[in-house]
Amino acid sequence: MTQPLHQVVTTPSISTSTMEDMSTLTAALDDTSNPILARLASLNLPHNTYTHPLSATVDELLTNAPLSTDSNECHTKNLFFKDKKHGLFLVTVASSTDVNTKELASLLKLDGKVNLRLADEELLLQKLGVKKGCLGPLAIMNNVDKDVTLVLDESLLAKVKVHSHPLRNDASVVLAPEDLMTFVREYCEPVVVKFSEKMGGKVPSSRPEGEKGATKPRIEKGEGGAGKGANVNKKQTKKGETQLALKWSKSENFAMWYSDVIVLSEMISYYDISGCYILRPWSYKIWELIQDWFNIQIRKLGVENSYFPMFVSKDRLEKEKDHVEGFAPEVAWVTKSGDGDLAAPIAVRPTSETIMYPAFADWIRSHRDLPLKLNQWSNVVRWEFKDPTPFLRTREFLWQEGHTAHASYEDADVMVRQALDLYRRVYEELLAIPVIPGYKTEKEKFAGGHQTTTVEAYIPVSGRAIQGATSHNLGQNFGKMFDINYQDEKGETQIAWQTSWGLTTRTIGVMVMVHGDDTGLILPPRVAPLQCVIVPIVSKTFPLENVAPYCEEILKSLEEKNIRCKLDDRSIYNPGWKYAHWEQKGVPIRIEVGPRDLENRQARLVVRFGGEKIDVGIGTLASSIVTKLEEIQSNMFAKAKEFRDSHLVQVTEWKDFVPNLELHNLVLTPWCGGEHTDWEEWVKEKSREESLQNRGKRAKMRERQLRWRPRLCAFPLISRRWMRG
Amino acid sequence: MTQPLHQVVTTPSISTSTMEDMSTLTAALDDTSNPILARLASLNLPHNTYTHPLSATVDELLTNAPLSTDSNECHTKNLFFKDKKHGLFLVTVASSTDVNTKELASLLKLDGKVNLRLADEELLLQKLGVKKGCLGPLAIMNNVDKDVTLVLDESLLAKVKVHSHPLRNDASVVLAPEDLMTFVREYCEPVVVKFSEKMGGKVPSSRPEGEKGATKPRIEKGEGGAGKGANVNKKQTKKGETQLALKWSKSENFAMWYSDVIVLSEMISYYDISGCYILRPWSYKIWELIQDWFNIQIRKLGVENSYFPMFVSKDRLEKEKDHVEGFAPEVAWVTKSGDGDLAAPIAVRPTSETIMYPAFADWIRSHRDLPLKLNQWSNVVRWEFKDPTPFLRTREFLWQEGHTAHASYEDADVMVRQALDLYRRVYEELLAIPVIPGYKTEKEKFAGGHQTTTVEAYIPVSGRAIQGATSHNLGQNFGKMFDINYQDEKGETQIAWQTSWGLTTRTIGVMVMVHGDDTGLILPPRVAPLQCVIVPIVSKTFPLENVAPYCEEILKSLEEKNIRCKLDDRSIYNPGWKYAHWEQKGVPIRIEVGPRDLENRQARLVVRFGGEKIDVGIGTLASSIVTKLEEIQSNMFAKAKEFRDSHLVQVTEWKDFVPNLELHNLVLTPWCGGEHTDWEEWVKEKSREESLQNRGKRAKMRERQLRWRPRLCAFPLISRRWMRG
């Protein structure tokens, strides 16, 4: 059933001014069987509906349900294309925008033979379950085959409201664009492109055709991004440079900027299953560097690596009731193998407590078998349905999970804090991000555990706290459920005390958000896949062979100091392109080597973080770089900390709470803990309400929320009691 | 429907001699709806059935369907127990064996309060779907809840045939014990124990109670294996030592020996989902060492690590027809998340060609984007139904998969061979196992690929070849399917040439099989988690504090040379127990430090492989050990190679083919390759037939096949053409 946000009153008089008026004056659509309305309701997405005379074309619609031009609202035009080679496309643009297939092919970077044609009604019905004239972007819900690419015009995202058909053309649904995005993302990752407005498909000259690739990841390229032809002349190189630029700025549209950065820096590629992403070498190497460091640290604590199966039987998973309640809605179930049904469904691990602890029960008999400390690096699956975001919120993700058993609560608690401190160090020492260690509230703690500790980071621009990593004291709860008993020194049977703790690839996303700028990534040296890149400044008068031996010499001297370094001696790109390329990828130091450098036996260092340029003689180059890298690392941390600290506000009265959140501050308040747990709910509700009331006024805020939302919409850090000592 | 191996004739005269006679004289059971018979048929397990008067008890059965005592066949006695704490047990023993609950509890090592009682008929019906008096081991098929542990008496495995009820007690199914095992393993991993025969439950004194744990992994212990009490006196330590011993010898029962070794050395623990196993730190560390080495090597070849999603949509997976045909029967499908159905089923990767190659198509545009060389370390799932065996054949396994794209066939072919050579080196240089590189036949090549190369190892005792790792030249087949096009230097569109190559945790299993002995593992030094263990020979007159500083000094000197070393200074175990413990775990060198060693400032080295004992002065200890470890490594390889070479036979006439296989030889024959592919089938069929004819005569052979079978039963190496150069 529809749940309009505003009261709707039926009256015969129809205003033709803005839709805001209209929606209060015409009849809401009452169609309980409409799947789109049902889904909007179940997703709690604020929306409005209204009915109008049958309108099969845009022109009819504009006559039957006109919108004020002042309103910054629009109807949509929807076209369903097929292309033999490239597949099916549902294209949604504002009613005023023209779509021509040539521009579309160019925007989508379809290559080879392109033959986009409007699909016939049969295919429309088969693939999107609607009749001709009833199409809208929300129909993507019906594409069970997942073979239709939804293409949205970027201009829609700048509207206050978008009106579209809910599978029938005698009514429209009114949605804020971010809610439209949330809806369609339930079913696919839409491709957002920028159609030229009323220009007959001609791309405006200020935006060369080749640049469009930056809008969306699908068509992004490897290193050969400068163009397709083999002849890279001056002009084409310029084009290459333009291509490298991010399309969105961090402060203007944080979410789109984030997507831009991770794709263009070659960290992430999108994938055809929502919530799953490809970790390309540039991001995976960062994960490997985190792994290497973490493995050394846990080994010192006596933790050993191991590997447990990723499948878990229903019985086991459901053994601990609180635990399964916490994870059940997100569990992916394998029910078939080949053509046959499995005897019983098997879960893919969302976490491995129930997988590991029966084995713990087998292995642990005596106090002498304790502590038992295991870790595994693995992939886990949590089939979340909201806002998948690369690194931050993905259906499959990589992590380490430590699981230990101890003879006392105190021993377990020490382990919990040791693990948490390693997480703090991963953020602070490797990723140069300050974090606040603390406890989760009862409501936010790990399902089935006794107490959860966390490190929370601060995301600038969005001004939100984000959970960095958690370490759980499980008490004896799982021990009881899984019979993890041991005999103590006196021969008495005791239940083991346990911990579990996990750090995920989310770390990488937080790092991108905290440090990146409008040029791209800025990588902290300790986790940069490359710490330096050597770019010879070659030209017709100074060809590569003149400088190659010198560059090799530099490379060798750096490698001897274990600096991760690369010589970019590719002849197909000019130095300017290389500067932009490696800046976008966030390499901490660029080493430029030109004729004067060769002559003076020096090199110029250009620091990505801050832009400092210094000339250093070759004799001290390697040691200078070692020092400089450490300096960059600590400067990055200092800057991030300063910024975070300037947004950490103590609040003692409610009236200051939401306003401070809206100023993108972390809010430190008195907190009574678990004694009056209904306060937690009260604060959540109340702050959300206040925020929503302010919402209409802040269109900018909306854009920011488009792609990324923290778990607690307006309740970031209030829920932690600060950890002492 | 049943498919009896032998012709069955109905006649009124009943012989009472051996069952072999009986089965040809009484009526076969004709019950097309019987799920057990259907499953036996679908598994192609040779079996016989016959009908007899209703027999609800063993006594009735022995009267109604007597078996000759000479026949080495038996009826079964089946009991269904419940225990409040420990769960449900279906216990199957030979009809002549008595079961008492005290012995059962002891064999199963049930601890704490044990209260085993026969379950009532209601529970029997609910859990196993049979009425009273109709129970047999095959009823485990009906245990959809997977909560019944099947306990089999070891004596059954020594029979030629086992007779049991197919859910009804007016008929019996006759199965060879290995086929019985294959059947029940479809549903659970049975626990095999040894009941005392007709001794009223009293355990024979030659086999102390504590030893039974060695039979099966379930109840194996961590390092505290010496007993539960805190007071470890002389007697208990002795018991500990006994516990350490393997129960099976490698030559007598290879499969059981293998299971014993990997469990008691703490490499593997069994898991409640068939075909999934726990890799404990002792085996996982070996995998990490292989990973470390392999990562260095592939980096030299320009291969970068990355991570792709583990889920793949049906459409994608099925894009390449040959490929999906090869993998479809083994694919695990996720169809639900939480309580809801997914819009379309999603496969768990059996391999990642179809996951990676659409991204390759996006990334590759120009010849300058080639070669593209990626690798990932991941888990994959192949839901195989036959003979799961730890490491060798598991439903989930760990591997690396390399995937590359090139501008020419030649470049791809070089990559294929480079990868194969790395696999050869993993086996030969790290695992000390000789392998034969070669090609697979058309029938055995990678589904969808152009040509598959392989390294094949030789397993002693079983005398079989086993596939070590494969490297595939995919040609342009996937390139065509996934549109991996690029523009060459002339601007013409070309299709990329590809390779993929994988090495799995099977490596560890092969290593165990090749090198292990009746004492346990023997680890090649380069992959040993610990290369040395220091055991101080302490006693009342020579306490730890006397020798601890000296041991620490040795430890430090070894660690400085990067020798993986541990000082075992635990006071709860005596030196003898420690010797046995670390020998079983295969540590290459034990360093004994006693009073005389301290006095002479020396230590005694005891080499696991060969048993050599040498005294070395502390001044040269570390360097001696470095040399010794290398020596052990090459000696292990030399021995394995000599043994393999002595079992490599050239055969030019058919009459010598099967006899040589039965002598556990690898057979090198002329081979016409793909020109007459029906020869491949002919050889398989013919050799299998000949083998089966000999089968009845070789009961020992059967035992050996019990747990582990190579993919091609009697067709190991004939199918490879030798690689040139």
Side-chain angles (χ1 to χ4, degrees), chain A residues 279-288 398, chain B residues 305-307:
Chain A
L279 301 186
R280 300 181 69 180
W282 198 250
S283 58
Y284 192 75
K285 179 70 187 173
I286 295 173
W287 186 237
E288 287 183 314
L398 302 182
Chain B
N305 283 336
S306 54
Y307 187 78

Side-chain angles (χ1 to χ4, degrees), chain B residues 234-264:
Chain B
K234 205 83 184 169
K235 197 177 144 209
Q236 276 175 309
T237 308
K238 240 184 189 158
K239 188 171 149 196
E241 282 176 46
T242 321
Q243 263 189 320
L244 287 169
L246 302 189
K247 190 170 171 198
W248 301 89
S249 90
K250 192 175 181 181
S251 56
E252 265 173 32
N253 190 324
F254 186 57
M256 297 304 273
W257 167 85
Y258 177 68
S259 178
D260 241 22
V261 169
I262 57 176
V263 166
L264 292 180

Side-chain angles (χ1 to χ4, degrees), chain A residues 192-260:
Chain A
V192 179
V193 295
K194 189 169 169 60
F195 283 94
S196 53
E197 289 192 33
K198 288 290 184 199
M199 291 188 63
K202 197 169 164 286
V203 182
S205 58
S206 66
R207 211 171 260 297
E209 197 177 320
E211 193 188 340
K212 293 302 185 297
T215 320
K216 263 286 141 181
R218 300 209 146 202
I219 349 223
E220 94 280 11
K221 298 266 286 77
E223 296 194 343
K228 282 189 193 176
N231 305 314
V232 179
N233 58 28
K234 204 82 183 169
K235 197 176 142 213
Q236 276 176 310
T237 308
K238 241 186 188 158
K239 187 170 146 196
E241 281 175 47
T242 320
Q243 263 190 321
L244 286 171
L246 301 190
K247 191 170 170 198
W248 302 91
S249 90
K250 193 176 181 181
S251 56
E252 267 175 29
N253 190 324
F254 186 58
M256 296 303 271
W257 167 85
Y258 177 69
S259 178
D260 243 22

Side-chain angles (χ1 to χ4, degrees), chain B residues 520-655:
Chain B
L521 290 179
I522 302 180
L523 296 177
R526 292 204 192 134
V527 292
L530 287 178
Q531 295 170 312
C532 300
V533 63
I534 303 168
V535 179
I537 308 176
V538 298
S539 62
K540 268 185 192 162
T541 56
F542 186 68
L544 185 64
E545 50 267 34
N546 285 21
V547 75
Y550 185 66
C551 289
E552 294 284 355
E553 187 186 337
I554 292 175
L555 182 65
K556 207 175 147 225
S557 73
L558 299 186
E559 284 175 345
E560 274 166 12
K561 294 257 184 197
N562 293 317
I563 296 167
R564 294 186 289 276
C565 189
K566 182 191 173 86
L567 165 59
D568 188 352
D569 56 4
R570 292 175 290 178
S571 59
I572 48 170
Y573 303 112
N574 69 11
W577 186 92
K578 291 177 187 175
Y579 294 178
H581 176 71
W582 295 111
E583 277 177 6
Q584 186 170 74
K585 288 174 81 88
V587 174
I589 296 177
R590 177 171 76 238
I591 303 172
E592 300 177 3
V593 184
R596 235 166 36 107
D597 299 303
L598 181 63
E599 205 178 296
N600 301 336
R601 288 197 58 79
Q602 63 171 40
R604 165 159 291 193
L605 309 188
V606 183
V607 178
R608 176 69 177 87
F609 174 75
E612 187 191 9
K613 294 177 186 184
I614 29 173
D615 295 332
V616 183
I618 190 162
T620 56
L621 190 61
S623 59
S624 298
I625 286 178
V626 169
T627 313
K628 183 54 76 181
L629 288 171
E630 279 307 300
E631 189 189 311
I632 295 169
Q633 182 83 30
S634 59
N635 287 349
M636 286 181 73
F637 177 74
K639 185 187 171 190
K641 184 162 187 311
E642 196 190 322
F643 193 81
R644 196 274 317 267
D645 289 348
S646 72
H647 285 80
L648 188 57
V649 176
Q650 291 215 25
V651 161
T652 51
E653 288 186 76
W654 175 254
K655 70 173 175 51

Side-chain angles (χ1 to χ4, degrees), chain B residues 41-242:
Chain B
S42 76
L43 289 169
N44 269 325
L45 292 174
H47 63 284
N48 239 326
T49 61
Y50 61 97
T51 56
H52 50 64
L54 283 172
S55 310
T57 65
V58 171
D59 286 339
E60 284 172 27
L61 192 59
L62 294 176
T63 310
N64 292 330
L67 302 173
S68 156
T69 48
D70 309 335
S71 68
N72 200 18
E73 303 191 7
C74 71
H75 288 294
T76 59
K77 183 186 288 179
N78 300 279
L79 300 155
F80 187 42
F81 291 101
K82 67 173 176 179
D83 178 275
K84 204 172 172 186
K85 182 176 168 199
H86 303 281
L88 303 168
F89 301 89
L90 166 53
V91 179
T92 299
V93 299
S95 57
S96 61
T97 303
D98 284 349
V99 173
N100 92 13
T101 54
K102 203 173 157 195
E103 182 184 14
L104 181 61
S106 152
L107 289 174
L108 295 174
K109 284 214 167 176
L110 306 180
D111 64 349
K113 198 181 163 197
V114 178
N115 191 8
L116 286 163
R117 289 165 179 277
L118 285 174
D120 59 21
E121 184 157 13
E122 190 187 332
L123 200 62
L124 189 63
L125 256 174
Q126 184 197 331
K127 292 295 177 184
L128 294 168
V130 288
K131 291 189 180 165
K132 218 173 154 185
C134 298
L135 192 55
L138 307 181
I140 198 70
M141 178 182 184
N142 287 338
N143 182 227
V144 288
D145 298 337
K146 301 273 177 198
D147 53 358
V148 174
T149 303
L150 175 62
V151 181
L152 297 178
D153 183 17
E154 192 190 293
S155 74
L156 292 173
L157 307 182
K159 301 290 178 187
V160 169
K161 290 273 162 70
V162 175
H163 300 229
S164 67
H165 287 327
L167 309 179
R168 48 196 283 177
N169 60 7
D170 59 349
S172 287
V173 179
V174 187
L175 280 165
E178 66 268 25
D179 296 322
L180 170 65
M181 287 297 266
T182 302
F183 183 95
V184 300
R185 281 222 175 81
E186 293 292 305
Y187 306 100
C188 74
E189 186 57 41
V191 178
V192 178
V193 295
K194 188 167 169 63
F195 283 93
S196 53
E197 289 192 36
K198 289 290 186 199
M199 291 187 62
K202 197 166 166 289
V203 182
S205 58
S206 66
R207 210 171 262 295
E209 197 176 322
E211 194 189 340
K212 291 303 183 294
T215 320
K216 264 286 144 183
R218 302 211 144 200
I219 349 222
E220 95 277 12
K221 297 268 286 78
E223 295 194 343
K228 280 189 197 176
N231 305 314
V232 178
N233 57 26
K234 205 83 184 169
K235 197 177 144 209
Q236 276 175 309
T237 308
K238 240 184 189 158
K239 188 171 149 196
E241 282 176 46
T242 321

